[in-house]
Amino acid sequence: MKSLAIINQQGPLHSNAGQESVDLVLAAASFGQDVSVFFIDDGVFQLLKMQKPDVLEHKHFAKSFGAFEFYDVENIYVCQRSLTLRNIESNQLNVACQILSDTELNAKLANAHNIITLS
Amino acid sequence: MKSLAIINQQGPLHSNAGQESVDLVLAAASFGQDVSVFFIDDGVFQLLKMQKPDVLEHKHFAKSFGAFEFYDVENIYVCQRSLTLRNIESNQLNVACQILSDTELNAKLANAHNIITLS
Amino acid sequence: MARFSIIVTSASLDSQGCYSAYRFTQTAITNGHQISGVFFYQSGVNIANTFQTMLSDELALYPKWVDLANEHKIPLQVCVTAANRRGIISEQDAIQNDTPELFNLKPPFQSVGIGELVSMLNESDRSIQF
Amino acid sequence: MARFSIIVTSASLDSQGCYSAYRFTQTAITNGHQISGVFFYQSGVNIANTFQTMLSDELALYPKWVDLANEHKIPLQVCVTAANRRGIISEQDAIQNDTPELFNLKPPFQSVGIGELVSMLNESDRSIQF
Amino acid sequence: MILHKLSHSPYSQKNFVSLLTRITDKDGILLTQDATYALSSTEYCQLLLKQTVNVYALEPDTIARGIQPVMSEIQLVDYAEFVTLALKYNNVISW
Amino acid sequence: MILHKLSHSPYSQKNFVSLLTRITDKDGILLTQDATYALSSTEYCQLLLKQTVNVYALEPDTIARGIQPVMSEIQLVDYAEFVTLALKYNNVISW
């Protein structure tokens, strides 16, 4: 079984990247890939609990993060520096995740067989 | 006759924005608009004389800048600060243009009836 | 009361711009303003593709534009060159290609030249791009 | 000699990525490597639209991909969900829609699910995204 | 009197800050889409307000993203006020 | 050992610099598309080389843009060398 790292780099409403990231994570996991999910740069904005995309008639795809564990996607990594830069505290986040330093992030990414960025 | 300002903000090979800016400038001018063209931020890279887009099989749309004067598009403005930041000298540019300060640029843009950015 | 030209240059799935344009247009009409037209250029033309199929729980912006245009008689003008480059073909284009059935741009969206943008700008008080 | 998976997520007119992917694929083959497949996702699916018509002096990337795929038997796999959202419809989709003539995705491009991406990744030594 | 409509994230796009120096104190700034993320940063809010006091942000875009504004000097507007703003200034640039 | 493939302009995208801190000295960096504009800036070249000596740029992308590189420590590579680089590292991230 190969490992696949999915990197989210964009805010939730910037484009369709967030939805298509979720599609990719769930499908790849259901086909047996060892999937890990990374939130880096503006991608950390996808994790904000307070989002109300229905105000813009958009689907709240971030609710699907809750389904990750049912698909055995348990490795959810968030860039500490990206959070700090954006004044985001860990209690504002909408999913259980590991907050990693730059060095730790690099080490996790170095271990993945394949890496796809959604931006 | 209304005035139309077209702002180029992207490098020549980043996307199709450069070509579609030229299309817009020439068509609007031929329909009688008073068109001025601005190169700002990475848009100033469109002005580099040394470009060889044929290496990537792309059309050299910047050659069409030479046609601007035949369409009476004589107001071509370039952001001084964008050039300086990118280490570009005026002798590297492929079209006759006026290099403007931030204040001068703002004043020119404030006079346009309509403004379209290509990015 | 004023007349607006709306210009859309961003693809609906790559930016929020096309949705913002829809909301702005809708609100301007509600508040008594006129819309000279909406001009779709660059990747903004993608919204005119009739083949778009969103999943049932996703925002479907195409029918929203269609309803707004039909209800308020707003011209939805799509630049023909930008559209053809992106595989958006009108019935007239299809007839010229000798495949008269194969098109994916339908009314109320219209395939037009840039001259229509110039006319639209000339008859409006303010333009705004998304 | 290695086996590559190529992933294209950028639209051909909004980025140089789709062209770079083409050049990389072509070069890898020339140098004796194998291509497990090319997977088009997000706005990368736009290249599969058969209706695209470039002006005669502009780069036409669609026929380049078609020729490369046909010559070297490379699977060009287009994610069906991403494609449908962007108005790219296969013959099979069209038949299901009861409009069997109305499609704009043709071989060598194939409409597939994300499972095909997983298979592709499992049988290749290296993936690279554009 | 230009209304500068910004739509890109200040955290990802350099143009966000570089264009500020071109804005005069008579101009207006309207934050929309990902540009509304500036509202959660005292630093970005101050940079904006240094150029002009006429700084606005589109409230639906802000709420949708779950942003908590840190400075009350930036006025939240709805779409109706957006339409009014577009007419109040001489023209609009969408950066 | 990651090959970081960059494709965005350092002048327009903030991520260009922010991702550098995640790069270790064993990793490689390949500048492609608009990221090759970094070659004309001593400052950006130095930032790149500070992280790793393994910095490459795709020559066709550089020539097409009319860029004149200022530092010879960044190696210009063709597509064949790009293919080789992609295999030399354990994986590739496209930023």
Side-chain angles (χ1 to χ4, degrees):
Chain A
M1 187 167 70
K2 290 206 176 181
S3 60
L4 175 63
I6 311 273
I7 303 178
N8 295 298
Q9 266 200 297
Q10 292 291 351
L13 289 155
H14 172 81
S15 69
N16 212 40
Q19 177 65 52
E20 295 189 310
S21 169
V22 166
D23 293 353
L24 189 54
V25 168
L26 298 183
S30 71
F31 283 102
Q33 291 277 291
D34 175 15
V35 179
S36 49
V37 187
F38 294 76
F39 293 89
I40 293 180
D41 298 332
D42 276 359
V44 300
F45 285 131
Q46 296 188 19
L47 297 170
L48 282 180
K49 218 184 274 178
M50 298 265 291
Q51 288 175 66
K52 290 181 181 161
D54 55 302
V55 170
L56 300 177
E57 304 175 65
H58 281 64
K59 177 178 163 186
H60 198 159
F61 72 84
K63 286 191 172 167
S64 306
F65 297 164
F68 284 179
E69 63 173 314
F70 298 104
Y71 285 80
D72 293 323
V73 177
E74 282 157 3
N75 296 323
I76 304 176
Y77 303 115
V78 182
C79 172
Q80 168 74 71
R81 192 163 47 87
S82 302
L83 288 177
T84 305
L85 184 66
R86 290 164 183 79
N87 306 311
I88 301 175
E89 309 281 341
S90 58
N91 63 9
Q92 297 176 269
L93 306 184
N94 57 17
V95 69
C97 55
Q98 296 178 54
I99 299 175
L100 302 184
S101 69
D102 285 334
T103 315
E104 292 168 325
L105 264 180
N106 186 286
K108 295 287 184 196
L109 287 168
N111 279 333
H113 287 111
N114 297 295
I115 304 172
I116 300 179
T117 50
L118 282 288
S119 63
Chain B
M1 186 166 72
K2 290 206 174 180
S3 59
L4 175 63
I6 311 271
I7 303 178
N8 295 296
Q9 265 200 301
Q10 291 291 351
L13 289 154
H14 173 81
S15 69
N16 212 41
Q19 178 65 54
E20 294 187 312
S21 168
V22 165
D23 293 353
L24 188 53
V25 169
L26 298 182
S30 70
F31 283 102
Q33 291 278 289
D34 175 15
V35 179
S36 49
V37 187
F38 294 76
F39 293 89
I40 292 179
D41 298 332
D42 277 359
V44 299
F45 285 131
Q46 296 188 19
L47 297 169
L48 282 180
K49 218 183 274 181
M50 297 266 290
Q51 288 174 65
K52 289 182 183 159
D54 55 302
V55 169
L56 300 177
E57 304 175 64
H58 282 64
K59 177 178 164 185
H60 198 160
F61 73 84
K63 286 190 171 169
S64 306
F65 297 164
F68 284 178
E69 63 172 314
F70 297 105
Y71 286 79
D72 294 323
V73 178
E74 281 157 1
N75 296 323
I76 304 176
Y77 303 115
V78 182
C79 172
Q80 168 74 70
R81 192 163 47 87
S82 302
L83 288 177
T84 306
L85 185 65
R86 290 163 182 80
N87 305 312
I88 300 175
E89 309 280 341
S90 58
N91 63 10
Q92 296 176 271
L93 306 185
N94 57 18
V95 70
C97 55
Q98 295 178 54
I99 299 175
L100 303 183
S101 70
D102 285 334
T103 315
E104 292 168 324
L105 264 180
N106 187 286
K108 294 287 183 196
L109 289 167
N111 280 333
H113 288 111
N114 297 294
I115 303 172
I116 300 178
T117 49
L118 282 289
S119 62
Chain C
M1 297 301 100
R3 287 162 304 174
F4 280 102
S5 286
I6 311 290
I7 301 165
V8 179
T9 49
S10 49
S12 61
L13 290 179
D14 294 334
S15 153
Q16 193 200 307
C18 189
Y19 175 78
S20 303
Y22 165 76
R23 285 286 293 270
F24 184 96
T25 305
Q26 189 183 46
T27 307
I29 294 167
T30 304
N31 292 8
H33 300 292
Q34 284 178 30
I35 305 295
S36 302
V38 187
F39 190 82
F40 297 88
Y41 196 56
Q42 291 193 286
S43 291
V45 301
N46 285 324
I47 189 64
N49 186 336
T50 56
F51 291 180
Q52 290 173 85
T53 324
M54 306 304 289
L55 298 182
S56 59
D57 58 351
E58 295 174 357
L59 171 65
L61 200 46
Y62 178 86
K64 287 185 177 284
W65 275 114
V66 168
D67 290 349
L68 191 68
N70 287 336
E71 189 175 347
H72 300 284
K73 306 277 176 285
I74 302 166
L76 300 183
Q77 304 192 318
V78 183
C79 172
V80 58
T81 317
N84 287 355
R85 283 184 183 126
R86 290 166 179 83
I88 322 274
I89 299 288
S90 69
E91 183 165 18
Q92 197 185 336
D93 297 327
I95 291 168
Q96 283 174 3
N97 294 344
D98 284 328
T99 50
E101 307 257 312
L102 287 180
F103 58 94
N104 56 355
L105 188 160
K106 287 183 191 165
F109 287 96
Q110 306 161 32
S111 177
V112 302
I114 290 176
E116 294 299 320
L117 170 64
V118 173
S119 305
M120 188 189 291
L121 294 176
N122 283 341
E123 67 181 40
S124 66
D125 303 302
R126 182 76 73 250
S127 65
I128 181 160
Q129 180 187 2
F130 292 88
Chain D
M1 298 301 100
R3 285 162 306 174
F4 280 102
S5 286
I6 311 290
I7 300 164
V8 179
T9 49
S10 49
S12 61
L13 290 179
D14 293 335
S15 152
Q16 192 200 307
C18 189
Y19 176 77
S20 302
Y22 165 76
R23 285 286 294 269
F24 184 95
T25 306
Q26 189 184 45
T27 307
I29 294 167
T30 305
N31 292 7
H33 299 292
Q34 284 179 32
I35 305 293
S36 303
V38 186
F39 190 82
F40 297 89
Y41 195 55
Q42 291 191 284
S43 291
V45 302
N46 284 324
I47 189 64
N49 186 336
T50 56
F51 290 0
Q52 289 172 85
T53 324
M54 306 304 289
L55 298 182
S56 60
D57 58 349
E58 294 174 359
L59 171 64
L61 200 47
Y62 178 86
K64 287 184 178 285
W65 274 115
V66 169
D67 290 349
L68 191 68
N70 288 335
E71 190 175 346
H72 300 285
K73 307 276 177 283
I74 303 167
L76 300 184
Q77 304 193 318
V78 182
C79 172
V80 58
T81 317
N84 287 356
R85 284 185 183 124
R86 291 167 179 83
I88 322 271
I89 299 287
S90 68
E91 184 165 16
Q92 198 187 332
D93 297 327
I95 291 167
Q96 284 176 3
N97 295 344
D98 283 329
T99 50
E101 307 256 311
L102 287 180
F103 57 94
N104 56 355
L105 188 160
K106 288 182 191 165
F109 287 95
Q110 305 161 34
S111 177
V112 302
I114 290 176
E116 294 298 321
L117 169 64
V118 173
S119 304
M120 190 188 289
L121 293 176
N122 283 341
E123 67 181 39
S124 65
D125 303 301
R126 182 76 73 252
S127 66
I128 181 161
Q129 180 188 2
F130 291 89
Chain E
M1 295 237 317
I2 304 171
L3 179 64
H4 299 268
K5 178 165 74 69
L6 276 54
S7 60
H8 296 290
S9 166
Y11 296 100
S12 70
Q13 285 283 333
K14 282 201 169 179
N15 301 345
F16 187 94
V17 170
S18 89
L19 77 86
L20 293 187
T21 64
R22 283 180 220 113
I23 295 179
T24 74
D25 57 1
K26 291 190 178 135
D27 290 345
I29 299 174
L30 174 63
L31 305 175
T32 70
Q33 304 182 42
D34 278 2
T36 57
Y37 284 121
L39 291 177
S40 59
S41 153
T42 310
E43 185 194 339
Y44 285 125
C45 288
Q46 285 173 343
L47 277 174
L48 291 159
L49 290 162
K50 209 178 80 181
Q51 295 305 121
T52 171
V53 295
N54 312 308
V55 186
Y56 310 89
L58 195 57
E59 188 166 31
D61 289 6
T62 309
I63 295 171
R65 286 167 177 74
I67 298 167
Q68 295 170 293
V70 292
M71 290 183 75
S72 57
E73 289 90 339
I74 296 181
Q75 297 171 58
L76 295 174
V77 298
D78 61 15
Y79 269 98
E81 291 163 311
F82 178 7
V83 172
T84 306
L85 277 177
L87 291 170
K88 181 178 163 190
Y89 290 86
N90 294 333
N91 56 24
V92 185
I93 310 185
S94 298
W95 295 106
Chain F
M1 294 235 318
I2 304 171
L3 180 64
H4 299 268
K5 177 165 75 70
L6 276 56
S7 60
H8 295 290
S9 166
Y11 296 100
S12 69
Q13 286 284 331
K14 282 202 169 176
N15 302 347
F16 188 94
V17 170
S18 89
L19 79 86
L20 292 188
T21 64
R22 284 182 219 112
I23 295 178
T24 73
D25 58 2
K26 290 191 178 134
D27 291 346
I29 299 173
L30 175 64
L31 305 175
T32 69
Q33 304 182 44
D34 279 3
T36 57
Y37 284 122
L39 292 178
S40 59
S41 153
T42 309
E43 185 194 339
Y44 286 125
C45 289
Q46 285 171 343
L47 277 173
L48 291 160
L49 290 162
K50 208 177 81 180
Q51 295 305 119
T52 170
V53 295
N54 311 310
V55 185
Y56 309 90
L58 195 58
E59 189 166 33
D61 289 5
T62 310
I63 295 172
R65 286 167 175 74
I67 297 166
Q68 295 171 293
V70 292
M71 288 183 75
S72 57
E73 288 89 339
I74 296 181
Q75 297 171 57
L76 295 173
V77 298
D78 61 16
Y79 268 97
E81 291 162 312
F82 178 7
V83 172
T84 306
L85 276 177
L87 291 170
K88 183 179 162 189
Y89 289 86
N90 293 334
N91 57 24
V92 185
I93 310 185
S94 298
W95 294 106

mmCIF file of all heavy atoms in Angstrom, chain C residues 37-66:
data_model
loop_
_atom_site.group_PDB
_atom_site.id
_atom_site.type_symbol
_atom_site.label_atom_id
_atom_site.label_comp_id
_atom_site.label_asym_id
_atom_site.label_seq_id
_atom_site.Cartn_x
_atom_site.Cartn_y
_atom_site.Cartn_z
ATOM 1 N N GLY C 37 -25.616 45.180 -19.170
ATOM 2 C CA GLY C 37 -25.302 43.824 -19.598
ATOM 3 C C GLY C 37 -24.213 43.232 -18.733
ATOM 4 O O GLY C 37 -23.586 43.922 -17.928
ATOM 5 N N VAL C 38 -24.029 41.917 -18.904
ATOM 6 C CA VAL C 38 -22.931 41.221 -18.235
ATOM 7 C C VAL C 38 -22.049 40.674 -19.344
ATOM 8 O O VAL C 38 -22.545 40.004 -20.262
ATOM 9 C CB VAL C 38 -23.446 40.069 -17.347
ATOM 10 C CG1 VAL C 38 -22.306 39.465 -16.537
ATOM 11 C CG2 VAL C 38 -24.562 40.552 -16.419
ATOM 12 N N PHE C 39 -20.764 40.999 -19.285
ATOM 13 C CA PHE C 39 -19.843 40.541 -20.325
ATOM 14 C C PHE C 39 -18.873 39.529 -19.720
ATOM 15 O O PHE C 39 -18.190 39.826 -18.740
ATOM 16 C CB PHE C 39 -19.068 41.740 -20.898
ATOM 17 C CG PHE C 39 -18.277 41.407 -22.144
ATOM 18 C CD1 PHE C 39 -18.895 41.371 -23.380
ATOM 19 C CD2 PHE C 39 -16.918 41.123 -22.075
ATOM 20 C CE1 PHE C 39 -18.189 41.060 -24.539
ATOM 21 C CE2 PHE C 39 -16.190 40.814 -23.228
ATOM 22 C CZ PHE C 39 -16.834 40.782 -24.465
ATOM 23 N N PHE C 40 -18.827 38.334 -20.306
ATOM 24 C CA PHE C 40 -17.949 37.267 -19.808
ATOM 25 C C PHE C 40 -16.713 37.184 -20.700
ATOM 26 O O PHE C 40 -16.811 37.039 -21.921
ATOM 27 C CB PHE C 40 -18.701 35.929 -19.802
ATOM 28 C CG PHE C 40 -19.894 35.927 -18.875
ATOM 29 C CD1 PHE C 40 -21.148 36.348 -19.321
ATOM 30 C CD2 PHE C 40 -19.757 35.539 -17.542
ATOM 31 C CE1 PHE C 40 -22.244 36.359 -18.468
ATOM 32 C CE2 PHE C 40 -20.856 35.556 -16.683
ATOM 33 C CZ PHE C 40 -22.094 35.960 -17.146
ATOM 34 N N TYR C 41 -15.547 37.296 -20.067
ATOM 35 C CA TYR C 41 -14.280 37.330 -20.809
ATOM 36 C C TYR C 41 -13.273 36.444 -20.077
ATOM 37 O O TYR C 41 -13.494 36.042 -18.938
ATOM 38 C CB TYR C 41 -13.791 38.792 -20.897
ATOM 39 C CG TYR C 41 -12.711 39.023 -21.933
ATOM 40 C CD1 TYR C 41 -12.919 38.665 -23.257
ATOM 41 C CD2 TYR C 41 -11.483 39.591 -21.584
ATOM 42 C CE1 TYR C 41 -11.935 38.867 -24.214
ATOM 43 C CE2 TYR C 41 -10.489 39.804 -22.540
ATOM 44 C CZ TYR C 41 -10.716 39.439 -23.846
ATOM 45 O OH TYR C 41 -9.729 39.638 -24.782
ATOM 46 N N GLN C 42 -12.145 36.183 -20.722
ATOM 47 C CA GLN C 42 -11.124 35.270 -20.167
ATOM 48 C C GLN C 42 -11.821 33.995 -19.664
ATOM 49 O O GLN C 42 -12.773 33.527 -20.284
ATOM 50 C CB GLN C 42 -10.338 35.967 -19.056
ATOM 51 C CG GLN C 42 -9.442 37.097 -19.569
ATOM 52 C CD GLN C 42 -8.465 37.543 -18.500
ATOM 53 O OE1 GLN C 42 -8.838 38.208 -17.555
ATOM 54 N NE2 GLN C 42 -7.211 37.168 -18.634
ATOM 55 N N SER C 43 -11.366 33.442 -18.524
ATOM 56 C CA SER C 43 -11.976 32.197 -18.057
ATOM 57 C C SER C 43 -13.369 32.400 -17.484
ATOM 58 O O SER C 43 -14.049 31.432 -17.135
ATOM 59 C CB SER C 43 -11.061 31.519 -17.029
ATOM 60 O OG SER C 43 -9.898 31.053 -17.692
ATOM 61 N N GLY C 44 -13.817 33.641 -17.415
ATOM 62 C CA GLY C 44 -15.191 33.927 -17.027
ATOM 63 C C GLY C 44 -16.202 33.286 -17.969
ATOM 64 O O GLY C 44 -17.349 33.041 -17.583
ATOM 65 N N VAL C 45 -15.782 32.997 -19.205
ATOM 66 C CA VAL C 45 -16.710 32.394 -20.180
ATOM 67 C C VAL C 45 -17.162 31.003 -19.765
ATOM 68 O O VAL C 45 -18.202 30.516 -20.238
ATOM 69 C CB VAL C 45 -16.090 32.317 -21.604
ATOM 70 C CG1 VAL C 45 -15.696 33.713 -22.111
ATOM 71 C CG2 VAL C 45 -14.887 31.387 -21.648
ATOM 72 N N ASN C 46 -16.394 30.343 -18.894
ATOM 73 C CA ASN C 46 -16.716 28.959 -18.533
ATOM 74 C C ASN C 46 -18.124 28.781 -17.960
ATOM 75 O O ASN C 46 -18.713 27.708 -18.092
ATOM 76 C CB ASN C 46 -15.679 28.413 -17.538
ATOM 77 C CG ASN C 46 -14.356 28.072 -18.215
ATOM 78 O OD1 ASN C 46 -14.333 27.607 -19.351
ATOM 79 N ND2 ASN C 46 -13.250 28.325 -17.528
ATOM 80 N N ILE C 47 -18.652 29.824 -17.322
ATOM 81 C CA ILE C 47 -19.984 29.691 -16.727
ATOM 82 C C ILE C 47 -21.054 29.453 -17.790
ATOM 83 O O ILE C 47 -22.131 28.921 -17.495
ATOM 84 C CB ILE C 47 -20.342 30.945 -15.886
ATOM 85 C CG1 ILE C 47 -21.626 30.734 -15.064
ATOM 86 C CG2 ILE C 47 -20.489 32.191 -16.751
ATOM 87 C CD1 ILE C 47 -21.555 29.668 -14.028
ATOM 88 N N ALA C 48 -20.786 29.808 -19.050
ATOM 89 C CA ALA C 48 -21.797 29.684 -20.106
ATOM 90 C C ALA C 48 -21.959 28.269 -20.648
ATOM 91 O O ALA C 48 -22.808 28.019 -21.504
ATOM 92 C CB ALA C 48 -21.451 30.655 -21.246
ATOM 93 N N ASN C 49 -21.147 27.338 -20.171
ATOM 94 C CA ASN C 49 -21.171 25.967 -20.687
ATOM 95 C C ASN C 49 -22.406 25.217 -20.166
ATOM 96 O O ASN C 49 -22.519 24.922 -18.973
ATOM 97 C CB ASN C 49 -19.872 25.263 -20.237
ATOM 98 C CG ASN C 49 -19.703 23.875 -20.837
ATOM 99 O OD1 ASN C 49 -20.679 23.237 -21.213
ATOM 100 N ND2 ASN C 49 -18.472 23.424 -20.915
ATOM 101 N N THR C 50 -23.329 24.901 -21.091
ATOM 102 C CA THR C 50 -24.577 24.221 -20.688
ATOM 103 C C THR C 50 -24.344 22.807 -20.165
ATOM 104 O O THR C 50 -25.239 22.230 -19.546
ATOM 105 C CB THR C 50 -25.562 24.050 -21.873
ATOM 106 O OG1 THR C 50 -24.889 23.349 -22.920
ATOM 107 C CG2 THR C 50 -26.070 25.369 -22.371
ATOM 108 N N PHE C 51 -23.189 22.226 -20.471
ATOM 109 C CA PHE C 51 -22.938 20.837 -20.055
ATOM 110 C C PHE C 51 -22.591 20.710 -18.568
ATOM 111 O O PHE C 51 -22.500 19.595 -18.057
ATOM 112 C CB PHE C 51 -21.791 20.222 -20.875
ATOM 113 C CG PHE C 51 -22.090 19.981 -22.324
ATOM 114 C CD1 PHE C 51 -21.116 19.433 -23.162
ATOM 115 C CD2 PHE C 51 -23.319 20.276 -22.884
ATOM 116 C CE1 PHE C 51 -21.359 19.195 -24.506
ATOM 117 C CE2 PHE C 51 -23.579 20.047 -24.230
ATOM 118 C CZ PHE C 51 -22.588 19.495 -25.047
ATOM 119 N N GLN C 52 -22.365 21.825 -17.893
ATOM 120 C CA GLN C 52 -21.994 21.766 -16.473
ATOM 121 C C GLN C 52 -23.019 21.004 -15.644
ATOM 122 O O GLN C 52 -24.210 21.281 -15.696
ATOM 123 C CB GLN C 52 -21.924 23.183 -15.878
ATOM 124 C CG GLN C 52 -20.782 24.031 -16.352
ATOM 125 C CD GLN C 52 -20.913 25.456 -15.836
ATOM 126 O OE1 GLN C 52 -20.502 25.753 -14.732
ATOM 127 N NE2 GLN C 52 -21.503 26.336 -16.631
ATOM 128 N N THR C 53 -22.542 20.066 -14.832
ATOM 129 C CA THR C 53 -23.420 19.298 -13.959
ATOM 130 C C THR C 53 -22.815 19.260 -12.566
ATOM 131 O O THR C 53 -21.815 18.602 -12.326
ATOM 132 C CB THR C 53 -23.542 17.828 -14.454
ATOM 133 O OG1 THR C 53 -23.524 17.802 -15.872
ATOM 134 C CG2 THR C 53 -24.809 17.194 -13.935
ATOM 135 N N MET C 54 -23.416 19.986 -11.655
ATOM 136 C CA MET C 54 -22.930 19.961 -10.275
ATOM 137 C C MET C 54 -23.610 18.821 -9.529
ATOM 138 O O MET C 54 -24.708 18.389 -9.897
ATOM 139 C CB MET C 54 -23.247 21.288 -9.581
ATOM 140 C CG MET C 54 -22.749 22.523 -10.311
ATOM 141 S SD MET C 54 -20.972 22.526 -10.645
ATOM 142 C CE MET C 54 -20.338 22.754 -8.984
ATOM 143 N N LEU C 55 -22.978 18.348 -8.469
ATOM 144 C CA LEU C 55 -23.640 17.384 -7.606
ATOM 145 C C LEU C 55 -24.808 18.099 -6.910
ATOM 146 O O LEU C 55 -24.806 19.323 -6.784
ATOM 147 C CB LEU C 55 -22.656 16.808 -6.581
ATOM 148 C CG LEU C 55 -21.474 16.048 -7.193
ATOM 149 C CD1 LEU C 55 -20.582 15.474 -6.107
ATOM 150 C CD2 LEU C 55 -21.949 14.935 -8.131
ATOM 151 N N SER C 56 -25.779 17.312 -6.445
ATOM 152 C CA SER C 56 -27.041 17.919 -6.001
ATOM 153 C C SER C 56 -26.887 18.848 -4.799
ATOM 154 O O SER C 56 -27.674 19.767 -4.628
ATOM 155 C CB SER C 56 -28.059 16.821 -5.681
ATOM 156 O OG SER C 56 -27.520 15.996 -4.660
ATOM 157 N N ASP C 57 -25.860 18.622 -3.955
ATOM 158 C CA ASP C 57 -25.708 19.481 -2.779
ATOM 159 C C ASP C 57 -24.730 20.636 -3.012
ATOM 160 O O ASP C 57 -24.377 21.356 -2.079
ATOM 161 C CB ASP C 57 -25.272 18.659 -1.558
ATOM 162 C CG ASP C 57 -23.968 17.912 -1.786
ATOM 163 O OD1 ASP C 57 -23.479 17.889 -2.942
ATOM 164 O OD2 ASP C 57 -23.415 17.365 -0.820
ATOM 165 N N GLU C 58 -24.293 20.809 -4.273
ATOM 166 C CA GLU C 58 -23.337 21.872 -4.574
ATOM 167 C C GLU C 58 -24.024 23.061 -5.236
ATOM 168 O O GLU C 58 -25.062 22.910 -5.889
ATOM 169 C CB GLU C 58 -22.237 21.342 -5.513
ATOM 170 C CG GLU C 58 -21.377 20.266 -4.872
ATOM 171 C CD GLU C 58 -20.394 19.642 -5.835
ATOM 172 O OE1 GLU C 58 -20.412 19.994 -7.039
ATOM 173 O OE2 GLU C 58 -19.625 18.778 -5.395
ATOM 174 N N LEU C 59 -23.414 24.231 -5.072
ATOM 175 C CA LEU C 59 -23.947 25.442 -5.690
ATOM 176 C C LEU C 59 -23.936 25.313 -7.222
ATOM 177 O O LEU C 59 -22.893 25.061 -7.822
ATOM 178 C CB LEU C 59 -23.076 26.639 -5.281
ATOM 179 C CG LEU C 59 -23.339 27.962 -5.995
ATOM 180 C CD1 LEU C 59 -24.727 28.490 -5.679
ATOM 181 C CD2 LEU C 59 -22.276 28.996 -5.611
ATOM 182 N N ALA C 60 -25.107 25.459 -7.835
ATOM 183 C CA ALA C 60 -25.192 25.441 -9.298
ATOM 184 C C ALA C 60 -25.440 26.880 -9.756
ATOM 185 O O ALA C 60 -26.558 27.391 -9.653
ATOM 186 C CB ALA C 60 -26.307 24.513 -9.755
ATOM 187 N N LEU C 61 -24.412 27.516 -10.244
ATOM 188 C CA LEU C 61 -24.494 28.941 -10.554
ATOM 189 C C LEU C 61 -25.107 29.194 -11.934
ATOM 190 O O LEU C 61 -25.726 30.234 -12.162
ATOM 191 C CB LEU C 61 -23.071 29.525 -10.474
ATOM 192 C CG LEU C 61 -22.910 31.013 -10.294
ATOM 193 C CD1 LEU C 61 -23.820 31.577 -9.223
ATOM 194 C CD2 LEU C 61 -21.447 31.327 -9.958
ATOM 195 N N TYR C 62 -24.931 28.233 -12.844
ATOM 196 C CA TYR C 62 -25.450 28.405 -14.206
ATOM 197 C C TYR C 62 -26.960 28.718 -14.200
ATOM 198 O O TYR C 62 -27.385 29.741 -14.764
ATOM 199 C CB TYR C 62 -25.130 27.170 -15.056
ATOM 200 C CG TYR C 62 -25.664 27.241 -16.465
ATOM 201 C CD1 TYR C 62 -24.933 27.853 -17.469
ATOM 202 C CD2 TYR C 62 -26.914 26.714 -16.783
ATOM 203 C CE1 TYR C 62 -25.432 27.942 -18.771
ATOM 204 C CE2 TYR C 62 -27.425 26.809 -18.072
ATOM 205 C CZ TYR C 62 -26.679 27.418 -19.057
ATOM 206 O OH TYR C 62 -27.176 27.514 -20.334
ATOM 207 N N PRO C 63 -27.795 27.881 -13.562
ATOM 208 C CA PRO C 63 -29.237 28.183 -13.593
ATOM 209 C C PRO C 63 -29.590 29.503 -12.905
ATOM 210 O O PRO C 63 -30.582 30.145 -13.265
ATOM 211 C CB PRO C 63 -29.874 26.990 -12.870
ATOM 212 C CG PRO C 63 -28.771 26.295 -12.158
ATOM 213 C CD PRO C 63 -27.525 26.585 -12.913
ATOM 214 N N LYS C 64 -28.765 29.909 -11.939
ATOM 215 C CA LYS C 64 -29.038 31.190 -11.270
ATOM 216 C C LYS C 64 -28.875 32.356 -12.253
ATOM 217 O O LYS C 64 -29.703 33.262 -12.303
ATOM 218 C CB LYS C 64 -28.105 31.379 -10.073
ATOM 219 C CG LYS C 64 -28.456 30.479 -8.898
ATOM 220 C CD LYS C 64 -27.576 30.780 -7.697
ATOM 221 C CE LYS C 64 -27.982 29.921 -6.512
ATOM 222 N NZ LYS C 64 -29.245 30.419 -5.882
ATOM 223 N N TRP C 65 -27.814 32.327 -13.026
ATOM 224 C CA TRP C 65 -27.624 33.374 -14.035
ATOM 225 C C TRP C 65 -28.751 33.346 -15.068
ATOM 226 O O TRP C 65 -29.263 34.382 -15.488
ATOM 227 C CB TRP C 65 -26.276 33.194 -14.746
ATOM 228 C CG TRP C 65 -25.093 33.816 -14.055
ATOM 229 C CD1 TRP C 65 -24.030 33.167 -13.506
ATOM 230 C CD2 TRP C 65 -24.825 35.226 -13.874
ATOM 231 N NE1 TRP C 65 -23.128 34.076 -12.975
ATOM 232 C CE2 TRP C 65 -23.591 35.335 -13.192
ATOM 233 C CE3 TRP C 65 -25.508 36.391 -14.204
ATOM 234 C CZ2 TRP C 65 -23.027 36.566 -12.847
ATOM 235 C CZ3 TRP C 65 -24.951 37.616 -13.863
ATOM 236 C CH2 TRP C 65 -23.727 37.702 -13.184
ATOM 237 N N VAL C 66 -29.113 32.135 -15.486
ATOM 238 C CA VAL C 66 -30.156 32.000 -16.506
ATOM 239 C C VAL C 66 -31.471 32.604 -16.002
ATOM 240 O O VAL C 66 -32.122 33.396 -16.703
ATOM 241 C CB VAL C 66 -30.351 30.514 -16.894
ATOM 242 C CG1 VAL C 66 -31.615 30.318 -17.730
ATOM 243 C CG2 VAL C 66 -29.122 29.999 -17.649
#
